[in-house]
Amino acid sequence: RDAEPEARGSDEQRVVGGRRRRRHAGGRDVRARERDAALEARATSALGGALATRGDRASAREHLQRAADAFQRLGDAGSAATATASLADLAHREGRAAEAEALAERALSIHSAQKDLLGEANDRVLLGRFAADRGDLRAARAHLGRSVALARESESRKVEALANGWLGLVAQLDHHRDPSTDQASRSPTEGPLDRAARAPTEGPLDRAARATAEGASNSEARGLFEGAASALGAMGLVPAEALFTGLLGVALREQGASAEAFARLGAATERIANGGDDAHLALFLVHLASLDADIGRAAEAAATLARAEKLLERAAEPAILAIAALVRARIEPSREAEALSLIHI
């Protein structure tokens, strides 16, 4: 009889212990599912970025939005804001400027509230680029200058170099702005290639290239481009290094420094071809082809241009395509009407 209460107690303990084990196991399952969901969201975001780089913007947008939504469900507002910033960059490249600004401002407000210095620095690089693109140089300098300060505070040499590189673009624009409006103005020596890049469908990359071309001989911009390319290259960030090397090459070409421009553009295209943005590569190939055409190397120009045109079949960049068409018309005058049909001069 004395053993019966002890047996009952043991049974109760086993039941209670079993419940506890099940609760702990259930908790572990929940945490495991959350970890898996977070890993999946990060992978989805990374894939979205890669797709954007390769020019598949529809798929990139879908993946980035899925990632942003997943982070939001997980309560990870900071990562959701980072994905939103990537969506802003994509929207801007597609010419949806107002949407891009709104998305970037949303990301900035979240990162600022969380005191995420690096997140805010990245957001301000975007907003600085957007402001420069619409000609608001004062706002562009403010965003990019603040980004440099935040990057230094968070010890991110990468973001500091990117911000300085885009400050080079602002310096080019500022070198040729209209003092009465404080807006970037049109170059009085603008040629048909530059006017082609002013097509209403142009993307921000094209406007960046056109802006560098308008800079004439701006030593501040050149120093910033060179410094950014050097710093990014030292970190192994080849596509970013190539972008600023190429933009410097475009500027040098317009200044008449053909040999140096050819070297810079050649280096940029070689590096981007090993894993960079198709639109960047196409833009710089077009300028290389134009340099070849300048010195009468029609066969070389045609071959380089064919590479660019193949890239442009999958990278929707109407303004770069228009510039390519003008270069093609220089090689094949019979195609001038076709080229002019793609632009608004």
Side-chain angles (χ1 to χ4, degrees):
R1 261 183 287 188
D2 290 340
E4 288 178 9
E6 183 178 339
R8 283 197 300 272
S10 298
D11 289 342
E12 289 171 1
Q13 288 169 0
R14 280 194 292 274
V15 170
V16 171
R19 288 173 180 164
R20 286 176 179 163
R21 282 192 296 276
R22 283 194 295 275
R23 280 199 300 272
H24 290 319
R28 284 196 298 272
D29 288 345
V30 169
R31 289 192 293 275
R33 285 196 296 272
E34 288 177 346
R35 281 196 300 273
D36 289 346
L39 287 171
E40 183 180 352
R42 290 191 184 95
T44 301
S45 182
L47 179 56
L51 288 165
T53 296
R54 301 316 301 175
D56 188 351
R57 293 177 183 171
S59 295
R61 194 183 318 109
E62 177 187 348
H63 282 78
L64 289 169
Q65 189 60 63
R66 277 172 48 200
D69 294 342
F71 284 129
Q72 202 66 51
R73 285 194 300 272
L74 290 164
D76 187 348
S79 294
T82 299
T84 298
S86 296
L87 283 166
D89 191 21
L90 186 59
H92 195 250
R93 292 194 59 179
E94 293 179 321
R96 294 177 284 119
E99 179 185 344
E101 293 257 2
L103 288 168
E105 289 286 1
R106 185 191 309 166
L108 176 62
S109 67
I110 295 169
H111 284 140
S112 297
Q114 293 189 333
K115 301 192 184 310
D116 181 344
L117 301 185
L118 186 54
E120 182 180 346
N122 274 304
D123 299 337
R124 289 189 182 279
V125 168
L126 286 179
L127 287 164
R129 284 173 47 204
F130 299 171
D133 190 61
R134 67 174 184 270
D136 189 344
L137 306 185
R138 188 177 288 113
R141 280 193 185 276
H143 279 302
L144 291 166
R146 178 62 177 152
S147 180
V148 169
L150 290 166
R152 286 174 180 165
E153 193 173 344
S154 56
E155 300 183 343
S156 174
R157 291 169 53 240
K158 172 187 172 182
V159 178
E160 181 182 353
L162 287 170
N164 274 322
W166 290 112
L167 276 169
L169 169 61
V170 175
Q172 289 282 47
L173 284 163
D174 196 41
H175 187 72
H176 207 76
R177 68 184 175 86
D178 181 347
S180 66
T181 64
D182 200 36
Q183 300 290 302
S185 66
R186 173 174 170 159
S187 168
T189 58
E190 178 181 63
L193 291 185
D194 307 305
R195 288 198 294 275
R198 290 182 181 277
T201 54
E202 74 180 343
L205 176 65
D206 313 308
R207 286 190 286 270
R210 176 253 299 167
T212 63
E214 292 179 351
S217 56
N218 189 339
S219 60
E220 178 193 1
R222 176 170 180 160
L224 287 165
F225 281 141
E226 288 179 328
S230 176
L232 292 162
M235 287 179 264
L237 299 170
V238 175
E241 174 201 8
L243 169 62
F244 292 112
T245 299
L247 290 177
L248 176 59
V250 174
L252 289 166
R253 174 181 173 268
E254 296 301 327
Q255 292 168 19
S258 297
E260 190 176 357
F262 204 99
R264 299 280 186 167
L265 286 164
T269 55
E270 183 179 341
R271 290 168 189 153
I272 294 174
N274 293 325
D277 189 298
D278 284 352
H280 295 178
L281 179 55
L283 176 69
F284 300 145
L285 284 170
V286 168
H287 280 280
L288 274 174
S290 188
L291 279 168
D292 277 326
D294 289 345
I295 58 176
R297 302 193 337 164
E300 290 84 349
T304 301
L305 201 55
R307 283 183 64 196
E309 289 165 342
K310 187 171 182 61
L311 289 165
L312 291 168
E313 288 175 5
R314 63 174 184 263
E317 295 285 349
I320 303 179
L321 189 58
I323 300 172
L326 281 173
V327 177
R328 174 68 69 186
R330 290 175 59 195
I331 304 167
E332 303 173 40
S334 63
R335 298 180 64 173
E336 183 176 339
E338 176 188 339
L340 293 175
S341 72
L342 296 174
I343 61 176
H344 302 268
I345 298 181

